[in-house]
């Protein structure tokens, strides 16, 4: 990971295919090491031992891109918050007690969590809508893991995991979608239900249990067992392609006829708010940012780049704000700093 | 009156003393002509006759500044609406059926309504807080009226008027105050009650029954009988001076300590809204304008002039918008045009 928290990681690179609607694709593999109990039931010594072993393995020559280890018990809570906000570790892992760490490459396109719910949770990120490309990279990583680490595998079930819902392929493919059109046109529930009917999960920006802040949704497979990797990839790909298409149709309608003025009003007011506010909550910031992203993407808002929007999305988060300030901040202080930061990035 | 409705009249000239808080002073005299029934009970012929007579008198040489007659039954409804919005005629008069007109000078510092509730309602406007100066001008006008027109006067009661609440001096002195500080600090009711206790009326921007839009309040005397002109002037002057002082104290407090960020947030967001909105209601426009006026006045908002604010205040009104468009507009159309007009004046 970059020392500089203002750097944009792979998920915010903003240059992948279809990235106007599909921000980022993530492929995650759950793997465990033979001879160790699953992470939630490990003794502290066992966790410590496994962490040392895996950290050493993942930083050996064969693992490319080169990974750096961040030991989570050795860093400040703000630093862990930053890692969550960069999608490099899970919230559950940040708060766990056991020895745990994460291996990250410089571009933040790979993060391998050690002693999360499973011993190994390897994530690969690709900007935009790149299900197959992200999986190809994850597969390459998986082969390295298999070659150097004795993984728990059963001929009957496939890869064994701490929670049975991940057993088998241990694969989760998720695409982070920006769906303001469906939200504003009140079709998001219908879209979400449609995806759920074909056994896909629809979650908020930070996965399970998180709210769909800023109109961001993660669509991912729920089934990992009794289903080939290829089938999982195809299902997620097809569903996301349909959602992107749907979102495009709705966006066009929102900028057509009588809706146009209301939509433009919303987009421009949102930019006005971000460029004027002196006190800005995280929720309002994300809501405004969503409208602006829509406006830039649909070509109705000039003079702003995706990079500016992604910088705001990343840096206006509580952990990043506090890391930038180099101190803990109360929510009130954060709202003041957030407003200043946003005006700094977007201009007044 | 200026043919050009974008011109600012005396009440919006914005250069009088204390005009940061006290926009304008108005002195109004109610007078009636001997030998005619009061306006509400006149026959159409009588009204017609009196209107012709008074219109002729008011445009003779002695009446300076030179007055021009606008016959209200000869103009379009939009034009009457424009006159109301410029404070040159009353709403009641605009909607009346009888022959009626108004005599106005080019600077809109004088307006004499003919066949309003009284035969003659002479108004003098002065920018800022100028109670005595405005009254001196009204007195001069009154002497001209007395010299050229047989006015209804009783030794016992003073000037006779259609409604007894105006009998005696027929004098109403009112000062239009901008009191956002008292409103935001939730002290406006207290201030209003204090004024009412000393028999002053506190009304909205367009007088009786109108709401205090944009945090504008008109403070005026209620008693006209059994009270000398000097006493009325002194009472209004003292009460308004106290309100201005009060408003100043509250404004300073709103920009001090912990309140400062909230106040600046409100001020800057309001400007952001006016510079961004594509759909803008009259109420929202006035509310934002109030915050911006506060900001400019208190020196926390740069790059805007009072003239710009006064142009918005005047031209964003329904009548002015329609006159500018040269056609009737639905409320929805007005909200679109208002947003465009405001961005045109304040910049984007």
């Amino acid at each position: 990971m970059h020392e500089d928290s203002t750097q944009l990681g792979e998920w915010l690179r903003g240059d992948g295919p279809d990235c106007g609607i599909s921000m980022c694709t993530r492929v995650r593999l759950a793997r465990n090491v033979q001879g160790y109990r699953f992470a939630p039931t490990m003794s502290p010594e066992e966790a410590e031992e496994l962490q040392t072993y895996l950290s050493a393995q993942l930083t050996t020559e064969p693992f490319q891109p080169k990974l750096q280890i961040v030991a989570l018990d050795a860093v400040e809570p703000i630093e862990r918050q930053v890692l969550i906000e960069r999608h490099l570790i899970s919230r559950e892992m940040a708060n766990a007690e056991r020895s745990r760490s994460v291996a990250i490459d410089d571009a933040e396109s790979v993060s391998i969590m050690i002693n999360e719910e499973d011993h190994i949770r390897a994530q690969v990120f690709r900007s935009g809508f790149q299900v197959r490309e992200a999986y190809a990279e994850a597969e390459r990583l998986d082969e390295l893991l298999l070659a150097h680490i004795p993984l728990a595998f059963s001929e009957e079930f496939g890869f064994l995991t701490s929670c049975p819902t991940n057993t088998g392929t241990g694969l989760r493919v998720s695409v982070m979608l920006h769906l303001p059109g469906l939200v504003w046109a009140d079709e998001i529930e219908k879209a979400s239900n449609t995806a759920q009917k074909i056994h896909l999960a629809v979650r908020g920006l930070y996965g399970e249990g998180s709210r769909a802040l800023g109109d961001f949704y993660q669509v991912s497979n729920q089934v990992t067992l009794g289903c080939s990797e290829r089938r999982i990839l195809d299902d997620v790909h097809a569903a996301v392609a349909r959602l992107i298409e749907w979102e495009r149709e709705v966006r066009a309608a929102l900028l057509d006829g009588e809706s146009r003025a209301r939509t433009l009003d919303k987009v421009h007011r949102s930019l006005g708010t971000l460029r004027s506010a002196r006190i800005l909550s995280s929720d309002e910031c994300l809501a405004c940012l969503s409208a602006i992203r829509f406006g830039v993407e649909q070509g109705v808002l000039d003079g702003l780049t995706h990079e500016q929007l992604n910088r705001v999305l990343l840096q206006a988060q509580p952990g990043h704000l506090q890391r930038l300030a180099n101190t803990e901040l109360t929510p009130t202080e954060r709202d003041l700093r957030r407003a200043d930061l946003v005006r700094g990035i977007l201009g007044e």
Side-chain angles (χ1 to χ4, degrees), chain A residues 97-343:
Chain A
E97 293 289 318
R98 60 182 170 273
S99 272
R100 63 217 188 280
S101 57
V102 61
I104 313 164
D105 70 321
D106 202 47
E108 301 181 8
S109 66
V110 170
S111 108
I112 304 181
M113 295 178 260
I114 299 173
N115 287 348
E116 211 258 12
E117 187 182 291
D118 293 296
H119 298 153
I120 298 172
R121 284 271 178 115
Q123 304 187 98
V124 169
F125 298 93
R126 281 292 176 272
S127 177
F129 184 30
Q130 299 203 60
V131 168
R132 289 182 186 99
E133 295 80 352
Y135 181 71
E137 174 66 4
E139 206 174 15
R140 190 185 64 79
L141 208 58
D142 199 24
E143 279 159 15
L144 285 171
L145 293 172
L146 278 164
H148 296 88
I149 298 161
L151 297 182
F153 185 83
S154 133
E155 287 300 328
E156 188 181 354
F157 296 113
F159 290 102
L160 300 177
T161 55
S162 175
C163 173
T165 59
N166 292 311
T167 300
T169 56
L171 172 67
R172 172 160 288 163
V173 181
S174 64
V175 181
M176 189 195 294
L177 294 168
H178 184 228
L179 303 175
L182 291 171
V183 173
W184 303 351
D186 224 2
E187 296 194 27
I188 191 68
E189 209 178 314
K190 200 171 145 198
S192 178
N193 290 341
T194 305
Q196 281 161 20
K197 262 181 215 154
I198 52 169
H199 307 295
L200 298 179
V202 180
R203 301 191 171 92
L205 185 53
Y206 288 95
E208 225 154 329
S210 71
R211 290 183 298 152
L213 291 169
D215 306 321
F216 284 110
Y217 290 84
Q218 289 195 52
V219 174
S220 59
N221 62 303
Q222 280 185 314
V223 179
T224 58
L225 186 65
C227 194
S228 72
E229 283 86 351
R230 154 139 252 118
R231 174 73 195 279
I232 292 171
L233 296 177
D234 286 350
D235 283 356
V236 173
H237 191 281
V240 168
R242 175 67 197 107
L243 282 170
I244 291 175
E245 188 55 34
W246 194 347
E247 169 72 15
R248 283 220 177 89
E249 288 163 18
V250 172
R251 287 188 183 195
L254 284 169
L255 285 166
D256 197 35
E258 287 193 359
S259 305
R260 186 173 175 88
R262 274 197 306 280
T263 304
L264 292 182
D265 185 57
K266 184 166 185 158
V267 166
H268 286 280
R269 279 174 182 256
S270 297
L271 182 55
T273 298
L274 293 192
R275 282 182 165 164
S276 323
R278 262 55 183 174
I279 300 174
L280 190 62
S281 74
S282 179
D283 280 16
E284 187 182 17
C285 180
L286 283 167
C288 289
L289 208 53
S290 176
I292 296 171
R293 182 177 292 275
F294 172 99
V296 169
E297 200 50 43
Q298 301 309 113
V300 295
L301 211 55
D302 293 335
L304 284 172
T305 63
H306 278 97
E307 202 207 324
Q308 285 173 295
L309 304 188
N310 289 344
R311 285 200 178 284
V312 173
L313 186 60
L314 184 71
Q315 295 179 35
Q317 299 181 100
H320 279 75
L321 280 175
Q322 294 179 85
R323 180 159 166 189
L324 207 63
N326 214 10
T327 180
E328 277 192 50
L329 300 169
T330 65
T332 304
E333 289 168 340
R334 293 206 295 268
D335 288 353
L336 292 168
R337 297 242 182 186
R338 182 177 294 111
D340 291 346
L341 174 102
V342 169
R343 294 200 317 284

